Amino acid sequence: VSAPVIAIHAGAGAVGGTATREEARSRAALLEALGAGRAALESGEDAVAAVAAAVEVMEDFELFNAGRGAVLCADGTVELSAAVMRSGDRAAGAVASVQRARHPVRAAEAVMHSPQVLMVGPAADRAADLAGLEVVTPEYFITDHQRRRLAAPVTGAEHATVGAVCRDAEGLLAAATSTGGIRAQPPGRVGDCPLIGAGTWADDRVAVSCTGDGEAFIRSGVARYIAALVEAGVGLGQACERALGLVEAAGGEGGLIAVGADGQRAMPFISEVMPRGVWRAGGEAEVWVR
Ligand code: ASP
């Protein structure tokens, strides 16, 4: 048993993207998310509760691409996805293309507590409602900022998907990721984030949350690949680098955060920036917007 650690990201992106233009607000949101994860851990809750709490804060922050303020599909609608997974029993839950669950990460957590792993569309929203979670109208998620961005010519990749990984005091590992996908995606398109083993993974060796060009991450099986490399004895940092090498070879860019069973963490990215942060018990929270 050693010190709990939680790391978060707010998406791989480019210099000049929303996070770097709104640096102070983004930094404050990252600190608040880490604070929520920390509070969960300090009150004795487990790694799953900590990653869900951190992601929930980032879903509420309208400048990140998750929950309210997420990017819009080509037709101006919003489709949200999220996943949660933990070590031990490798329980996992995910939702894709939801439009009503206010916190998609909580909907994913509810699925984790059901016999299913992945639920999609209106049925996933209904399940969230039945589980007693807060539901809203789809308009709740749509901000003027994203309406303007959809209308503007598409410039450089900017993802701003959010995620968290944690190792708690008992050694439980957990990962969570939440996203609105990629701006102007066709309705029905699903990226890597809600796909267990692609954008999100946790087992007894490592917890991983990814962000970037979803198709390249899916085709590279990134999160599970990192776990397999670590299982084979490759160091965490090198395992992450090799996985991102596959993404690059597939023509994609992005980044990820990972925490190992020993509490070691890695936060590599091959995009220009990846807002991120980490808190380890006994220390101060650290965040970076670039
Ligand atoms: N990976 C996400 C997707 O493809 C996008 C992102 O990371 O922002 O849906």
Side-chain angles (χ1 to χ4, degrees), residues 9 11-12 65 158-162 179-182 185 189-194 210-215 217:
H9 72 76
N65 175 22
E158 186 184 344
H159 297 291
T161 283
V162 307
T179 188
I182 290 193
Q185 66 185 6
R189 179 262 180 193
V190 175
D192 58 315
C193 301
C210 301
T211 171
D213 297 312
E215 283 71 11
F217 277 75

Side-chain angles (χ1 to χ4, degrees), residues 97-179:
S97 303
V98 296
Q99 298 185 303
R100 289 181 179 273
R102 178 176 169 190
H103 296 113
V105 70
R106 296 294 180 192
E109 198 182 1
V111 174
M112 188 180 97
H113 294 299
S114 80
Q116 288 73 44
V117 168
L118 173 60
M119 296 285 292
V120 303
D125 279 318
R126 269 196 304 279
D129 194 9
L130 284 175
L133 298 177
E134 188 177 352
V135 291
V136 293
T137 61
E139 293 69 41
Y140 161 81
F141 297 107
I142 299 175
T143 58
D144 286 341
H145 173 68
Q146 290 297 354
R147 276 210 186 88
R148 281 195 300 274
R149 290 188 67 220
L150 187 63
V154 178
T155 51
E158 186 184 344
H159 297 291
T161 283
V162 307
V165 294
C166 177
R167 207 249 353 229
D168 67 24
E170 308 298 323
L172 187 78
L173 298 173
T177 314
S178 182
T179 188

Side-chain angles (χ1 to χ4, degrees), residues 16-288:
T18 309
T20 48
R21 269 184 296 145
E22 299 270 1
E23 196 158 341
R25 284 178 69 197
S26 298
R27 177 177 292 277
L30 290 170
L31 282 171
E32 191 187 336
L34 276 179
R38 171 182 183 167
L41 293 167
E42 286 181 340
S43 65
E45 293 186 85
D46 70 6
V48 174
V51 293
V55 167
E56 188 178 74
V57 167
M58 295 190 282
E59 286 176 339
D60 281 341
F61 181 59
E62 64 175 44
L63 294 184
F64 292 158
N65 175 22
R68 184 171 148 72
V71 298
L72 304 181
C73 297
D75 64 355
T77 59
V78 67
E79 293 191 348
L80 306 167
S81 298
V84 178
M85 188 171 186
R86 69 178 176 216
S87 62
D89 60 2
R90 275 186 289 119
V95 293
S97 303
V98 296
Q99 298 185 303
R100 289 181 179 273
R102 178 176 169 190
H103 296 113
V105 70
R106 296 294 180 192
E109 198 182 1
V111 174
M112 188 180 97
H113 294 299
S114 80
Q116 288 73 44
V117 168
L118 173 60
M119 296 285 292
V120 303
D125 279 318
R126 269 196 304 279
D129 194 9
L130 284 175
L133 298 177
E134 188 177 352
V135 291
V136 293
T137 61
E139 293 69 41
Y140 161 81
F141 297 107
I142 299 175
T143 58
D144 286 341
H145 173 68
Q146 290 297 354
R147 276 210 186 88
R148 281 195 300 274
R149 290 188 67 220
L150 187 63
V154 178
T155 51
E158 186 184 344
H159 297 291
T161 283
V162 307
V165 294
C166 177
R167 207 249 353 229
D168 67 24
E170 308 298 323
L172 187 78
L173 298 173
T177 314
S178 182
T179 188
I182 290 193
R183 174 163 43 129
Q185 66 185 6
R189 179 262 180 193
V190 175
D192 58 315
C193 301
L195 301 186
I196 299 302
T200 306
W201 181 261
D203 63 15
D204 288 341
R205 294 182 179 84
V206 67
V208 182
S209 170
C210 301
T211 171
D213 297 312
E215 283 71 11
F217 277 75
I218 295 169
R219 289 164 55 219
S220 307
V222 170
R224 183 67 179 90
Y225 181 53
I226 290 170
L229 289 174
V230 171
E231 182 176 0
V234 178
L236 183 62
Q238 214 199 328
C240 293
E241 243 169 68
R242 277 170 62 176
L244 286 179
L246 287 185
V247 170
E248 201 166 16
E253 60 164 44
L256 61 92
I257 55 175
V259 58
D262 57 0
Q264 212 195 118
R265 49 91 175 170
M267 312 177 96
F269 51 98
I270 53 172
S271 48
E272 284 177 11
V273 302
M274 185 176 76
R276 61 203 184 282
V278 61
W279 173 76
R280 193 179 291 275
E284 289 303 314
E286 282 184 278
V287 300
W288 302 263

